[in-house]
């Protein structure tokens, strides 16, 4: 019997059903970890993201700059929207398929447009352009092909000098891992050297310049079970989006 690629097991309806059953709060977005002994997890995550953006010259305080428009993929209840995006962008559009999650943030100051669709279904609006695209902890619900196409669409509406940021958990087991709990895949990136905490290249973008990338610092060791760590990977406009084998 031929092996089935982990991303071929992804089922959109199963993933949506999982998230429909999750509480619409930060603890629900983080898998219950905030009440499971990791109350500082969100703070560490957001601080790591701010530090990462600061390396690109983006931030809330001078000499860093606030960008004009940003797109956030997989916004959930707005944990990252409120804790990061509205502080570094004048306007923020969000993509989030679960309506009960976005009810609390669609009236938030600086939130402009809410797209209640999945990343694989999202289509940019004519004339809309972004300086920053931030996608965190959600592309595991996309197949490889869907992810590539999504990144291409993001790239098509990116202003010159803009950035696409992927912040994701990565498999450290040497293979992609399918999770049937929420019907998602944790991907393995062969070029990531976890012990040296270096990222010489990535599997999402080829033919263009990767500006920066690093593993999330100060992550609680108790939840680094050998399966995944959090990572930020950057791409710039003009890159040829694709996967390596």
């Amino acid at each position: 019997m031929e092996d089935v690629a982990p991303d071929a097991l992804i089922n959109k309806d199963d993933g949506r059903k999982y998230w429909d059953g999750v509480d619409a709060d930060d603890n629900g977005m983080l898998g219950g970890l905030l009440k499971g002994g990791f109350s500082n997890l969100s703070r560490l995550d957001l601080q790591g993201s701010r530090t990462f953006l600061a390396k690109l010259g983006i931030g809330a305080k001078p000499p860093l700059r606030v960008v004009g428009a940003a797109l956030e993929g997989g916004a959930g209840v707005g944990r990252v929207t409120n804790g990061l995006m509205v502080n570094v962008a004048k306007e923020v559009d969000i993509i989030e398929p679960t309506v009960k999650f976005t009810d609390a943030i669609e009236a938030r100051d600086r939130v402009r447009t809410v797209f209640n669709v999945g990343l694989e279904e999202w289509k940019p609006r004519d004339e809309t352009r972004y300086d920053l695209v931030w996608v965190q902890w959600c592309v595991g619900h996309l197949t490889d092909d869907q992810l590539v196409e999504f990144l291409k669409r993001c790239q098509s509406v990116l202003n010159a000098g803009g950035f696409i940021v992927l912040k994701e958990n990565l498999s450290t087991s040497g293979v992609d891992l399918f999770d049937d709990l929420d019907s998602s895949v944790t991907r393995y990136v062969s070029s990531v050297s976890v012990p040296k905490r270096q990222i010489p290249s990535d599997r999402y973008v080829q033919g263009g310049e990767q500006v920066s990338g690093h593993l999330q610092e100060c992550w609680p060791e108790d939840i680094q079970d050998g399966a995944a760590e959090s990572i930020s990977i950057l791409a710039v406009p003009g890159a040829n989006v694709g996967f390596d084998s």
Side-chain angles (χ1 to χ4, degrees):
M1 181 176 178
E2 187 175 338
D3 291 338
V4 177
D7 73 308
L9 300 173
I10 294 173
N11 183 291
K12 181 183 74 173
D13 293 335
D14 289 346
R16 300 283 175 87
K17 182 178 180 180
Y18 169 82
W19 288 108
D20 284 342
V22 167
D23 290 339
D25 56 25
D26 287 354
N27 187 58
M29 299 300 97
L30 293 173
L33 289 172
L34 294 183
K35 295 181 180 179
F38 300 101
S39 59
N40 64 340
L41 188 64
S42 183
R43 179 183 61 80
L44 291 173
D45 166 58
L46 292 170
Q47 182 56 54
S49 297
R50 294 187 197 101
T51 300
F52 187 60
L53 284 179
K55 294 180 179 181
L56 306 177
I58 298 173
K61 298 180 180 180
L64 303 177
R65 66 185 179 94
V66 174
V67 302
L71 175 69
E72 181 188 354
V77 298
R79 183 185 67 86
V80 175
T81 313
N82 295 324
L84 178 69
M85 302 303 294
V86 296
N87 299 315
V88 300
K90 296 176 182 178
E91 295 181 307
V92 181
D93 290 349
I94 63 177
I95 307 170
E96 171 53 54
T98 306
V99 175
K100 73 174 183 178
F101 293 163
T102 59
D103 284 344
I105 55 174
E106 58 184 354
R108 175 72 162 83
D109 184 39
R110 293 195 178 188
V111 172
R112 181 176 59 182
T113 303
V114 175
F115 297 94
N116 282 129
V117 296
L119 301 182
E120 75 281 5
E121 302 162 325
W122 171 77
K123 295 181 180 179
R125 291 182 173 177
D126 293 341
E127 308 302 325
T128 300
R129 293 293 181 270
Y130 299 104
D131 304 296
L132 173 66
V133 177
W134 184 277
V135 187
Q136 179 169 346
W137 293 340
C138 57
V139 300
H141 289 288
L142 303 184
T143 66
D144 288 0
D145 289 343
Q146 288 173 337
L147 176 52
V148 169
E149 291 305 312
F150 170 68
L151 289 174
K152 287 180 178 178
R153 292 195 297 275
C154 290
Q155 200 171 52
S156 72
V157 291
L158 202 60
N159 282 327
F163 299 100
I164 299 172
V165 180
L166 295 181
K167 185 168 186 177
E168 276 300 324
N169 293 322
L170 296 181
S171 165
T172 58
S173 64
V175 295
D176 292 357
L177 302 173
F178 176 73
D179 187 346
D180 59 7
L181 176 65
D182 63 353
S183 193
S184 68
V185 166
T186 303
R187 291 181 168 91
Y188 171 68
V189 178
S190 59
S191 59
V192 176
S193 175
V194 175
K196 295 182 180 180
R197 311 192 78 78
Q198 295 175 347
I199 306 173
S201 62
D202 70 79
R203 84 190 267 197
Y204 300 110
V205 179
Q206 298 173 347
E209 179 187 2
Q210 180 185 313
V211 176
S212 180
H214 70 273
L215 294 174
Q216 171 81 43
E217 300 293 340
C218 302
W219 213 231
E221 291 186 1
D222 291 348
I223 61 173
Q224 294 178 11
D225 58 3
E229 289 205 25
S230 178
I231 192 172
S232 295
I233 299 177
L234 249 60
V236 296
N240 181 21
V241 179
F243 279 86
D244 59 17
S245 56

